[in-house]
Amino acid sequence: MLRTVATKRIVSTLRALAFVAVLAPAAVAASTQPFDQWLAGVRTEAKGRGVSDRTLDAAFAGVAPIPRVIELDRNQPEFRLKFDEYMDRVVTQTRIDRARRLLAEHGQLLDEVEAKYRVQKRFIVALWGIESDFGRITGGFPVIASLATLAYDGRRSTFFRKELMLALEILEQGHIAPADMKGSWAGAMGQNQFMPSSFHRFAVDHNGDGHKDIWNSLPDVFASIARYLSGSGWRDDMTWGREVTLPDGFDRKLIGSDARKPLSDWEALGVRRVDGGPLPGRDLQAKIVEVTERSGRARHFAAYEDFEVILKWNRSTYFAVAVGTLADALDAR
Ligand SMILES: [Ca+2]
């Protein structure tokens, strides 16, 4: 993700910062309990869920709140990129070229995963590319310490405490060593940036070595992405959607609405492909999505049911269009 570009630089200074936090936890925490006392409570809860002392000792060795995590959580950009700015960063020609190379390089494995989970391989590669730049940028934050920081902090403690428990269970199950459990500042892990809850629901040990290793094993990464989509309602007999044009005088109330219509209805309302041609003949259910460029120009997409599945992964229209656009650039047909 975009935010992880900056994190690599920061990682080396994290331990020093964390040390400062031990001395002054009140500066970063909304909790009234001292961190160590709070952590003892987490430990008791985790033991009750079957996490062993051995795992907990390893997981919590040297753990302290990370001020940088709080800073990143507090300062998520309010300014929203315009659509073309976002696309210029996320779907670059370099990324398309790289995706094509990797699609060919891992073709056999991807074919196997595609057939097993019934998810087109171009979408697997597109998500892999956008989430971690094909495994190159996975985030260097220690996941347990990051989740503990956010769970100890008051803003979204319930959500992050749950994720922390699930992360400890992943360690207990031996999928990854505590020291190697790295991720984004918010706890998204590995090459597909799964939160621990997604890991529990969808991660797969595709190469059969006993570990669901979304950090290092491409068979596991690809299968986990595919299983997330298939488990969220993906249909491989359709695609995500397509860019369209709207006729003059189009009823704006029909844009962005969750009221879906068959493509034939949109066709009757004057919606066309961007080249002016008719919409596909199959009567897929679609909604019309609008995005705006820097210039103020609006662009529109007919978004099919698989678009909603991508939104379950990340509730951002830009994200879903970017995944679809990158996937389309890999379509050999
Ligand atoms: Ca494995």
Side-chain angles (χ1 to χ4, degrees):
M1 304 287 287
L2 294 176
R3 63 177 180 265
T4 56
V5 177
T7 61
K8 284 205 159 181
R9 258 182 302 119
I10 296 153
V11 169
S12 59
T13 60
L14 279 179
R15 285 204 171 75
L17 287 169
F19 178 71
V20 174
V22 176
L23 301 176
V28 294
S31 170
T32 51
Q33 264 182 326
F35 182 74
D36 287 348
Q37 204 180 319
W38 175 85
L39 198 63
V42 170
R43 198 177 166 113
T44 305
E45 187 183 336
K47 282 183 75 164
R49 295 169 64 131
V51 182
S52 66
D53 280 322
R54 185 161 167 257
T55 296
L56 289 166
D57 288 346
F60 289 152
V63 162
I66 303 172
R68 179 66 183 152
V69 168
I70 296 297
E71 197 182 313
L72 287 163
D73 186 52
R74 293 283 187 274
N75 295 318
Q76 294 189 62
E78 284 172 35
F79 169 72
R80 242 189 121 197
L81 295 173
K82 290 295 184 183
F83 177 69
D84 50 334
E85 293 172 285
Y86 178 87
M87 292 296 280
D88 285 350
R89 294 182 194 198
V90 175
V91 188
T92 60
Q93 191 58 48
T94 308
R95 182 162 285 166
I96 291 170
D97 293 343
R98 203 172 155 78
R100 285 187 177 133
R101 273 204 309 279
L102 290 164
L103 186 77
E105 190 180 318
H106 303 292
Q108 199 181 338
L109 171 61
L110 285 161
D111 284 343
E112 188 184 307
V113 171
E114 172 174 308
K116 179 162 185 188
Y117 294 97
R118 302 197 58 182
V119 172
Q120 303 94 309
K121 59 187 173 183
R122 61 198 179 96
F123 286 96
I124 299 171
V125 171
L127 278 162
W128 181 40
I130 289 174
E131 283 297 349
S132 68
D133 202 24
F134 314 102
R136 295 198 305 168
I137 302 168
T138 56
F141 284 86
V143 167
I144 296 297
S146 297
L147 292 174
T149 299
L150 293 162
Y152 177 57
D153 181 61
R155 210 165 76 85
R156 283 182 291 166
S157 18
T158 308
F159 170 77
F160 283 111
R161 189 179 176 115
K162 207 181 292 172
E163 294 291 338
L164 175 59
M165 287 299 155
L166 295 171
L168 291 166
E169 290 178 18
I170 292 167
L171 291 178
E172 179 68 24
Q173 290 160 9
H175 297 298
I176 186 81
D180 297 330
M181 191 187 234
K182 298 284 174 55
S184 77
W185 63 267
M189 311 180 297
Q191 299 194 27
N192 43 3
Q193 298 282 280
F194 272 5
M195 291 299 289
S197 50
S198 295
F199 185 102
H200 276 268
R201 290 183 68 195
F202 300 118
V204 175
D205 170 22
H206 187 77
N207 66 358
D209 67 352
H211 305 285
K212 298 173 183 175
D213 186 357
I214 59 169
W215 292 265
N216 306 299
S217 159
L218 285 186
D220 292 7
V221 170
F222 295 161
S224 298
I225 292 172
R227 184 154 175 247
Y228 188 111
L229 295 178
S230 68
S232 303
W234 189 266
R235 280 177 49 188
D236 68 347
D237 63 341
M238 66 167 76
T239 183
W240 65 281
R242 65 177 58 250
E243 187 161 9
V244 295
T245 59
L246 308 182
D248 290 340
F250 187 79
D251 180 1
R252 289 197 55 83
K253 288 200 293 294
L254 297 174
I255 297 172
S257 130
D258 277 336
R260 303 184 154 273
K261 292 180 190 299
L263 283 178
S264 55
D265 285 13
W266 293 121
E267 174 83 17
L269 287 163
V271 179
R272 295 289 181 270
R273 294 184 192 228
V274 275
D275 65 4
L279 296 177
R282 289 176 67 197
D283 239 0
L284 298 170
Q285 292 285 320
K287 71 177 181 188
I288 303 294
V289 171
E290 179 176 275
V291 296
T292 310
E293 297 189 338
R294 266 169 296 196
S295 65
R297 180 169 88 104
R299 286 170 62 184
H300 300 96
F301 300 87
Y304 307 157
E305 286 161 73
D306 280 347
F307 188 86
E308 304 302 325
V309 178
I310 304 173
L311 288 177
K312 287 181 187 167
W313 183 298
N314 181 333
R315 284 221 74 80
S316 154
T317 298
Y318 288 2
F319 177 87
V321 174
V323 169
T325 303
L326 180 52
D328 283 353
L330 307 179
D331 197 351
R333 285 173 297 167

